[in-house]
Amino acid sequence: MGEQPTRVDDAEPPPRRTADDAGRSTDRGADGSSPATDRGADGSGPLAERGAAAEPDAPRPPAPGGLPLLGNVHELASDALGFYGRRAAAHGGVVRYDVFGTESYLVTDPAAVRRVLVDDHDRYEKGEMPRSRLGGLLGDGLFLAEDDDWREQRTTVRSAFFRERVAEYGDAMVDHARRAAAQWDDGEVVDVHAAATDYAFAVLAESLLGSDVERERETVRAAAESVTERFDTGRMTSFLPEWVPTPANRRYRRRIGALRSTIRTLVAERRAAGPPADPGAADDLLGTLVAAAELGAMDDDRLVDNAVTFLFAGHETSALGLTYALYCLADRPEFQERVRREVAALDGDPRPADLGACPALTAAVDEALRLYPPVHTFFREPTEAVRLGGYRVPAGVVVTLSPWAVHRDGRWWDDPTAYRPERWLRDGAAGPADGDEAGGPVHGDEAPGPAVGERPEYAYFPFGGGPRHCIGMRFARQELRLATATLLRRLRLEPVTTDLSVRASVNTRPDGPVRVRVRTLEEPLDANEPSDTS
């Protein structure tokens, strides 16, 4: 759900064993320090020294290719995700590229990613590029805010994402998944992306923004369509500023204006109904925001900015995550059956408290987020010259962190383009389960991290990282797992779309419908019933 902060007491994972570039295991502390020097995948030198100032004579990263004036825009427009992957594979963990004269640095080595997001996070900001690209959509809300403004907004909204509050949203997540399953007939071919978008919107409406936003579904849909069009990197015009009067930009401004007007109407209605005196006592996020505004903690513009931010981050990314999880499970029937049997062992439909006992379900979702991260790119700008991977990175340039490229890098992942949820599991005390190579979960329910195998922590970062990692991570992971479990207790999924193609827009989006065939079960599978894979 965007790239935003979370509770401090939930944010830091425990120390983990990681690997250097030769695959040797090293013990690291919570700050990522190692008795040995981190090195880039190409062995070029210290990868990202903590607190290291940039050396004036340090070389700049390589910058192969590009055209005059355009730079690498033509390559990005042709296939942005492929461009990131190819450039990282050919030139190492830090490499330059250019967009209409704007110098950018692609960072795909996990140690350097951690340096940017965690260890030296105070030396980076979101920067001018995200503000110029997304300011018309998200305004000065939490996603783009900096420094004290960011901290104040974070304090205002964080109560809506505390562990206990998120658990209360579980009933809505399960109920809407039941309704979706009930609408499908046996043998029906379903576009799971369209269905997941409807589902995620309904959950968000009830849980975070209130049922009042449900009646504005068409306004939200039209705005979302224009956001996708505006930021679709397959269109050369998407790299132009928002003020350039292309047809897509005009539609975008008109529809975003209508959405913001709609949210102001919803805010006025909440005020008329009487918001709670304490933001922490509100029933949903919109109530929290309105109560905070009434207390003077934020003005109305910030209120609307944050409502728009969570509306898009909360349903677009969750819908994509669910789409990819269901698509991948349809294509892996044996693992789908394993998840089905796991959730069948529960006493009825899943509850948030049950999820810790469902390692296969968690692995299925986490692997889908690895292979198809809904947020394909995070951006930062250093506020001073820094050193990454032995290279000098000047202040004010765009630093591009690509989960897509890192998650599919063969240096960190075996068979990286294959959906293998088993990689997130390991042999437990009782030995392998169901004939698989796995038995127990690698990580705790609230600490998503590297899968089994010796690899750096930030070889996996679908929710960003550090103090500004996604404030909605717990909400999103709970939603994806509860929805998947609820559906698989009622349905068996078979692949129809067999060759999924995706593209880079504001998120990682499928190129077309993502179709699966649903086979309805007469009743939720009983845990003691023999399965196809037993």
Side-chain angles (χ1 to χ4, degrees):
M1 298 175 66
E3 185 192 9
Q4 300 154 12
T6 191
R7 293 175 66 179
V8 172
D9 57 332
D10 293 329
E12 294 300 325
R16 292 189 173 95
R17 291 181 66 81
T18 60
D20 62 16
D21 59 299
R24 296 179 294 271
S25 175
T26 58
D27 288 313
R28 294 182 182 273
D31 66 350
S33 60
S34 170
T37 302
D38 282 325
R39 301 184 69 83
D42 61 358
S44 59
L47 181 65
E49 297 79 2
R50 179 168 174 78
E55 298 172 357
D57 58 349
R60 296 169 71 197
L67 298 175
L69 299 179
L70 290 178
N72 301 106
V73 170
H74 63 297
E75 295 174 88
L76 287 163
S78 174
D79 179 12
L81 301 177
F83 170 78
Y84 291 150
R86 290 190 301 272
R87 183 141 294 204
H91 305 290
V94 183
V95 61
R96 279 186 289 163
Y97 68 100
D98 180 274
V99 178
F100 288 133
T102 298
E103 190 174 53
S104 302
Y105 289 62
L106 176 64
V107 176
T108 58
D109 195 295
V113 171
R114 178 185 171 105
R115 192 66 57 197
V116 174
L117 294 179
V118 183
D119 299 320
D120 292 341
H121 70 88
D122 55 347
R123 302 171 72 185
Y124 295 84
E125 61 183 9
K126 288 296 184 75
E128 179 57 32
M129 193 278 288
R131 280 194 290 270
S132 64
R133 297 272 289 169
L134 296 172
L137 174 64
L138 306 180
D140 294 314
L142 189 60
F143 184 82
L144 294 176
E146 301 282 3
D147 302 324
D148 289 344
D149 186 24
W150 167 74
R151 281 183 282 273
E152 290 169 2
Q153 292 190 53
R154 170 187 180 272
T155 300
T156 297
V157 304
R158 67 178 183 176
S159 63
F161 296 97
F162 284 169
R163 185 191 310 271
E164 300 80 7
R165 180 69 68 82
V166 169
E168 293 174 0
Y169 304 144
D171 287 346
M173 295 171 179
V174 170
D175 184 54
H176 286 289
R178 286 194 199 106
R179 295 182 191 180
Q183 294 173 0
W184 300 332
D185 297 325
D186 184 57
E188 181 177 352
V189 174
V190 175
D191 178 358
V192 290
H193 183 216
T197 300
D198 288 343
Y199 166 81
F201 182 87
V203 170
L204 187 72
E206 184 170 342
S207 302
L208 295 184
L209 294 177
S211 58
D212 292 343
V213 77
E214 181 71 27
R215 69 174 188 260
E216 304 297 343
R217 180 184 291 268
E218 180 56 30
T219 301
V220 176
R221 186 206 62 75
E225 182 181 83
S226 282
V227 169
T228 298
E229 181 184 39
R230 165 78 181 93
F231 296 104
D232 183 354
T233 57
R235 301 168 180 262
M236 290 285 287
T237 55
S238 73
F239 297 95
L240 297 174
E242 181 185 324
W243 54 263
V244 177
T246 65
N249 281 352
R250 290 198 298 270
R251 279 190 297 273
Y252 171 78
R253 290 194 297 269
R254 183 174 66 253
R255 291 176 177 178
I256 295 305
L259 176 65
R260 297 178 74 86
S261 177
T262 292
I263 290 176
R264 289 185 183 278
T265 298
L266 296 176
V267 169
E269 292 173 357
R270 286 294 184 97
R271 283 199 168 112
D278 177 10
D283 293 331
D284 56 27
L285 177 63
L286 186 59
T288 298
L289 295 171
V290 173
E294 292 297 285
L295 293 175
M298 66 173 59
D299 59 26
D300 278 10
D301 287 337
R302 291 287 196 284
L303 193 167
V304 174
D305 292 342
N306 277 299
V308 172
T309 295
F310 284 101
L311 184 60
F312 277 101
H315 96 279
E316 283 281 300
T317 56
S318 292
L320 290 166
L322 182 57
T323 297
Y324 297 134
L326 297 178
Y327 164 80
C328 289
L329 283 167
D331 203 43
R332 280 290 310 275
E334 74 286 352
F335 201 87
Q336 180 188 158
E337 193 68 15
R338 177 173 175 173
V339 174
R340 181 177 294 106
R341 291 185 58 76
E342 185 178 77
V343 299
L346 303 175
D347 184 17
D349 279 326
R351 295 163 296 184
D354 297 324
L355 295 175
C358 297
L361 171 66
T362 299
V365 170
D366 285 354
E367 175 71 349
L369 295 177
R370 181 197 68 82
L371 193 58
Y372 298 104
V375 179
H376 54 76
T377 309
F378 299 102
F379 297 102
R380 293 291 189 272
E381 290 183 11
T383 57
E384 59 188 273
V386 297
R387 189 174 64 200
L388 288 173
Y391 296 115
R392 183 180 188 274
V393 178
V397 301
V398 176
V399 172
T400 303
L401 311 175
S402 173
W404 176 272
V406 177
H407 289 187
R408 289 168 168 252
D409 192 324
R411 292 175 296 173
W412 322 118
W413 303 95
D414 295 330
D415 200 7
T417 61
Y419 178 73
R420 288 182 52 224
E422 297 89 349
R423 74 174 87 238
W424 292 93
L425 304 169
R426 69 180 175 200
D427 288 346
D434 293 340
D436 287 330
E437 65 188 58
V442 165
H443 50 70
D445 184 52
E446 299 304 335
V452 163
E454 295 175 344
R455 64 176 58 85
E457 178 185 352
Y458 276 80
Y460 181 77
F461 60 113
F463 297 99
R468 295 196 68 149
H469 87 264
C470 175
I471 195 172
M473 180 184 75
R474 180 177 290 111
F475 182 99
R477 294 186 76 228
Q478 175 179 293
E479 181 181 14
L480 296 181
R481 287 177 290 172
L482 289 177
T484 300
T486 303
L487 292 173
L488 291 187
R489 283 175 58 85
R490 292 161 171 78
L491 307 167
R492 182 173 285 107
L493 308 177
E494 300 173 353
V496 175
T497 297
T498 57
D499 186 14
L500 181 63
S501 176
V502 299
R503 70 184 191 275
S505 180
V506 69
N507 292 312
T508 308
R509 299 184 61 84
D511 260 337
V514 182
R515 297 186 174 96
V516 302
R517 190 181 308 277
V518 298
R519 297 295 184 186
T520 59
L521 305 176
E522 291 300 322
E523 58 186 31
L525 182 67
D526 182 82
N528 297 316
E529 177 185 332
S531 76
D532 295 339
T533 60
S534 61

